[in-house]
Amino acid sequence: MTESESPYISHPRIMVLGVQPGTPPFRIVEIDGQVVGEARAVIDVLRAAATFGITVHDLDDPDVVRWVGGDKFTWTRRGRRVY
């Protein structure tokens, strides 16, 4: 397989990992491979990015942000109630 035949895999600077249990639930944010904090909403992801000098114009751009275990609207664990 040549490079032109292989699928493109982006390596965004920002990774938002799956929802973790908590009150309220949260997602871990990594920037440049380092854990930088917890996010409980999209605004927390944007604040973390800004702290590291990253301007995010499109949260749906996989070259900018990779959402693991859901998308920008996923802030609770599936099948579980949050009290």
Side-chain angles (χ1 to χ4, degrees):
M1 179 185 301
T2 65
E3 186 174 85
S4 63
E5 294 173 326
S6 63
Y8 172 73
I9 299 174
S10 66
H11 296 283
R13 293 186 66 193
I14 305 167
M15 296 245 326
V16 183
L17 304 179
V19 177
Q20 301 298 309
T23 305
F26 63 93
R27 297 176 78 168
I28 296 171
V29 179
E30 292 183 359
I31 295 181
D32 297 331
Q34 299 295 316
V35 173
V36 297
E38 300 173 355
R40 289 176 169 71
V42 170
I43 191 70
D44 297 329
V45 175
L46 295 172
R47 284 184 183 134
T51 299
F52 285 82
I54 303 169
T55 302
V56 178
H57 296 286
D58 183 0
L59 287 165
D60 294 320
D61 183 350
D63 290 331
V64 177
V65 181
R66 178 171 296 151
W67 298 92
V68 179
D71 60 13
K72 64 185 178 189
F73 300 112
T74 306
W75 295 98
T76 59
R77 296 183 74 178
R78 293 183 182 183
R80 295 184 185 213
R81 290 186 159 190
V82 179
Y83 296 99

